[in-house]
C-alpha cells in the first residue's frame, strides 16, 4: 500500500488582532502605537488533524463554512504552512483552490497554460501535446489569446480546472470546483474526475455538492471547528452530515464583550413537507426554513431574516419578517419562527445561508450567523431563466 498524502497531527493557528477604539486623534504616530498595543487572540483553523490518502483513492472533505476544509487544502498545496505537525506528499501535485488561482492576469489563456504546466514540472512539449484538449474542455478557444484579466469568472474556473485535470498530476486537489459554471460544465467536471480516478490518480475533493461527493469519493472526512469529527465510507459520512444540517458554531457576534445578547439564534434547518430535515431540495418543492432561538431579555419590534447567497458570494434572495405588517414582540424563553414556501422558486445551485435577528429595520442587529449553513437545490420543475415562478394554466376555447 502506497501513501500519497499524510497529515500527522497537523494544526494551523492564526493570530487575530483586536483593534483598540480610537480616541479621535488622527496623528499617524498615535495610530501606529495603537496598532502595536492591539490585543492578539488565537484562532485555530485546523487543530490536531491526522489522516492518510492511499494512491488512487478519492477522499472527500465536507463540513459547514469555517470548518477548516479549505485550510487543509491550502496546507497540502503549500499555500500556507502548519503551525505544528507534519505533512508528507508523495508525487506531483496540482491544486485548484480558488477561481483563477495561479493565473497571471496580464498573460493570455495560452500563456497561463504553459506557466501552470511549467510550475507542475511539465516540459513544453508535454504541455503542447495537451494544449488542444485543455482548450476544448474549457470551451474558451475563441478567447485563448486574450489576457485572462478579461475573462469572466466562469471562463476562469473552466480553464483553471481544465489545466489542473489535463496536465497529468499524480495528486489532484479540488476545492468547490463544481460551485461555479453551468450544469453541463459541472457534468464534464464529474466525468473528468471519474476518468482520473479510474486511471489511478489520487484525488482530494471539497464540495457542498453531497451527491457528487457520494459518487466520486471512496472515503469522506467530516470536519467541524477545525477538527475531524468522523470519517468513513462516503454514504455513511454524508448521511451523518445531513442529519446535523443545522448551524455551525461560526457566527458574527455584534455585542460587546461581557454583555448578554437579548436574543440568541440557536439553529437554522430546512424541512420538507413531511417535516424531515434535509440539506437538498428540488426546484418547485415545498420548503420550510426553521429558525430556533432563545430570548434572554424582552425585545420589541424584532425582525428575523434568512439570506441566501450564490456560490460566488452574491446575495440571491431573502426570507424576512420585515414588511409582514405585524410587529413581533419577544419575551424570555425559547422559541422558533418558520418561513415557508409551497414551491421553491430557486433554480439548481449551491446556496450559502445567513440568518439574523434585529430590533427594527433598519435597526440594531442583535445576532447574526454569517454563511454557516448550506442549501443545495437540484433540478425539479423544468424551467428556463433565472428563477421559477409558481403558476397555473387555464384555457378556454370557443366552438
Amino acid at each position: 500500500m502506497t501513501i500519497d498524502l499524510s497529515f500527522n497531527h497537523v494544526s494551523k493557528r492564526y493570530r487575530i488582532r483586536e483593534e483598540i477604539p480610537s480616541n479621535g486623534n488622527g496623528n499617524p504616530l498615535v495610530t501606529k502605537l495603537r496598532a502595536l498595543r492591539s490585543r492578539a487572540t488565537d484562532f485555530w483553523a485546523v487543530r490536531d488533524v491526522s489522516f492518510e490518502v492511499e494512491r488512487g483513492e478519492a477522499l472527500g472533505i465536507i463540513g459547514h463554512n469555517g470548518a477548516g476544509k479549505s485550510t487543509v487544502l491550502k496546507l497540502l498545496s503549500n499555500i500556507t504552512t502548519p503551525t505544528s505537525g507534519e505533512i508528507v506528499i508523495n508525487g506531483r501535485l496540482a491544486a485548484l483552490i480558488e477561481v483563477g488561482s495561479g493565473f497571471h492576469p496580464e498573460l493570455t489563456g495560452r500563456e497561463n497554460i504553459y506557466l501552470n504546466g511549467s510550475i507542475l514540472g511539465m516540459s513544453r512539449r508535454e504541455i503542447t501535446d495537451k494544449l488542444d484538449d485543455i482548450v476544448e474542455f474549457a470551451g474558451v478557444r475563441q478567447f485563448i489569446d486574450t489576457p485572462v484579466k478579461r475573462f469572466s469568472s466562469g471562463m476562469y474556473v473552466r480553464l483553471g480546472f481544465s489545466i489542473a485535470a489535463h496536465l497529468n498530476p499524480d495528486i489532484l486537489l479540488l476545492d468547490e470546483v463544481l460551485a461555479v459554471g453551468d450544469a453541463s460544465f459541472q457534468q464534464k467536471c464529474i466525468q473528468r474526475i471519474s476518468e482520473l480516478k479510474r486511471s489511478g490518480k489520487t484525488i482530494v475533493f471539497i464540495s457542498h455538492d453531497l451527491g457528487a461527493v457520494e459518487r466520486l469519493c471512496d472515503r469522506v472526512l467530516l470536519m467541524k471547528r477545525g477538527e475531524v469529527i468522523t470519517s468513513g465510507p462516503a454514504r455513511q459520512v454524508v448521511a451523518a452530515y445531513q442529519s446535523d444540517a443545522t448551524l455551525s458554531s461560526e457566527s458574527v457576534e455584534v455585542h460587546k464583550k461581557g454583555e448578554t445578547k437579548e436574543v440568541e439564534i440557536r439553529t437554522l434547518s430546512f424541512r420538507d413537507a413531511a417535516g424531515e430535515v434535509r440539506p437538498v431540495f428540488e426546484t418547485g418543492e415545498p420548503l420550510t426554513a426553521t429558525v430556533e432561538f432563545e430570548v434572554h431579555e424582552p425585545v420589541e419590534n424584532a425582525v428575523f431574516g434568512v439570506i441566501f447567497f450564490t456560490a460566488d458570494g452574491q446575495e440571491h434572495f431573502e426570507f424576512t419578517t420585515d414588511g409582514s405588517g405585524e410587529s413581533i414582540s419577544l419575551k424570555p424563553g425559547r422559541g422558533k419562527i418558520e418561513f415557508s414556501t409551497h414551491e421553491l422558486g430557486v433554480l439548481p445551485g449551491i446556496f450559502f445561508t445567513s440568518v439574523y435577528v434585529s430590533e427594527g429595520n433598519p435597526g440594531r442587529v442583535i445576532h447574526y450567523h454569517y454563511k454557516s449553513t448550506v442549501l443545495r437545490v437540484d433540478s425539479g420543475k423544468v424551467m428556463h431563466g433565472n428563477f421559477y415562478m409558481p403558476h397555473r394554466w387555464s384555457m378556454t376555447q370557443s366552438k
Side-chain angles (χ1 to χ4, degrees):
M1 179 180 70
T2 302
I3 303 297
D4 270 356
L5 296 175
S6 175
F7 248 51
N8 187 19
H9 297 286
V10 173
S11 296
K12 178 62 181 180
R13 179 189 64 197
Y14 291 99
R15 302 283 282 171
I16 301 174
R17 293 200 169 272
E18 298 179 14
E19 297 260 344
I20 294 177
S22 172
N23 59 5
N25 190 329
N27 189 306
L29 180 59
V30 173
T31 302
K32 289 182 180 180
L33 289 172
R34 186 179 297 114
L36 291 172
R37 290 171 50 212
S38 60
R39 296 177 294 272
T41 58
D42 291 342
F43 171 72
W44 293 91
V46 171
R47 188 188 291 271
D48 196 28
V49 170
S50 296
F51 63 86
E52 292 180 338
V53 188
E54 297 179 19
R55 178 161 296 172
E57 183 181 15
L59 176 74
I61 305 178
I62 62 176
H64 291 296
N65 276 13
K69 310 181 299 297
S70 294
T71 302
V72 168
L73 258 67
K74 288 176 181 177
L75 288 164
L76 283 171
S77 56
N78 205 29
I79 291 174
T80 188
T81 56
T83 304
S84 62
E86 182 184 40
I87 302 172
V88 178
I89 299 173
N90 180 23
R92 185 162 56 189
L93 181 147
L96 188 55
I97 306 297
E98 296 174 353
V99 175
S101 59
F103 282 176
H104 191 297
E106 299 295 336
L107 299 181
T108 66
R110 186 188 305 273
E111 290 166 337
N112 271 292
I113 293 173
Y114 280 95
L115 175 63
N116 275 251
S118 299
I119 292 171
L120 287 172
M122 306 286 287
S123 69
R124 188 173 182 84
R125 180 184 293 275
E126 288 177 289
I127 300 168
T128 301
D129 289 343
K130 295 178 181 290
L131 183 64
D132 284 341
D133 290 339
I134 293 169
V135 175
E136 186 64 33
F137 186 95
V140 296
R141 187 171 298 280
Q142 182 180 355
F143 307 97
I144 195 61
D145 292 308
T146 301
V148 297
K149 67 181 181 181
R150 298 195 176 98
F151 279 22
S152 67
S153 60
M155 292 162 65
Y156 254 83
V157 78
R158 293 200 303 270
L159 185 58
F161 177 85
S162 188
I163 293 170
H166 282 85
L167 291 180
N168 201 32
D170 301 311
I171 305 161
L172 184 61
L173 309 181
L174 300 171
D175 185 3
E176 289 298 0
V177 69
L178 301 182
V180 180
D182 57 24
S184 62
F185 176 70
Q186 292 174 11
Q187 188 58 39
K188 284 173 67 175
C189 289
I190 290 174
Q191 291 172 354
R192 181 58 183 166
I193 295 169
S194 298
E195 291 172 6
L196 292 168
K197 181 181 174 183
R198 287 193 296 270
S199 68
K201 306 300 181 185
T202 302
I203 297 168
V204 178
F205 180 51
I206 283 180
S207 180
H208 284 108
D209 187 338
L210 301 180
V213 170
E214 278 197 33
R215 290 196 301 275
L216 295 172
C217 298
D218 307 301
R219 185 164 54 96
V220 174
L221 307 180
L222 175 57
M223 295 190 68
K224 188 172 185 178
R225 304 182 201 175
E227 300 178 348
V228 175
I229 60 172
T230 189
S231 65
R235 184 176 295 274
Q236 174 183 318
V237 176
V238 167
Y241 179 60
Q242 289 176 317
S243 67
D244 186 29
T246 58
L247 284 170
S248 72
S249 64
E250 306 304 324
S251 64
V252 177
E253 306 292 350
V254 296
H255 63 294
K256 296 178 182 178
K257 289 190 173 180
E259 289 184 346
T260 301
K261 296 183 295 293
E262 298 100 309
V263 186
E264 185 175 4
I265 295 169
R266 308 293 295 181
T267 65
L268 167 65
S269 58
F270 300 106
R271 299 176 185 273
D272 58 20
E276 296 294 323
V277 175
R278 288 164 44 189
V280 182
F281 285 77
E282 293 183 354
T283 301
E285 265 197 297
L287 175 143
T288 297
T290 302
V291 179
E292 297 186 21
F293 57 88
E294 184 170 1
V295 181
H296 301 289
E297 298 176 13
V299 175
E300 296 295 331
N301 192 25
V303 174
F304 288 87
V306 181
I307 306 172
F308 295 76
F309 297 86
T310 58
D312 59 1
Q314 299 298 310
E315 185 174 330
H316 198 55
F317 67 99
E318 179 180 6
F319 293 153
T320 177
T321 59
D322 184 45
S324 65
E326 295 183 13
S327 177
I328 298 175
S329 297
L330 301 176
K331 59 185 180 180
R334 293 203 171 206
K336 69 178 180 181
I337 189 164
E338 294 184 335
F339 302 86
S340 298
T341 176
H342 295 298
E343 293 187 84
L344 182 62
V346 183
L347 295 186
I350 303 290
F351 299 91
F352 302 98
T353 57
S354 299
V355 58
Y356 67 86
V357 57
S358 65
E359 185 175 30
N361 195 12
R364 179 178 60 90
V365 177
I366 299 171
H367 197 191
Y368 181 31
H369 276 276
Y370 178 68
K371 292 188 182 179
S372 51
T373 308
V374 176
L375 175 70
R376 192 183 95 211
V377 179
D378 288 344
S379 296
K381 296 254 185 178
V382 179
M383 297 297 295
H384 301 285
N386 295 322
F387 64 94
Y388 166 68
M389 174 69 77
H391 62 280
R392 292 180 181 177
W393 286 98
S394 63
M395 184 181 73
T396 59
Q397 281 188 304
S398 58
K399 293 182 180 180

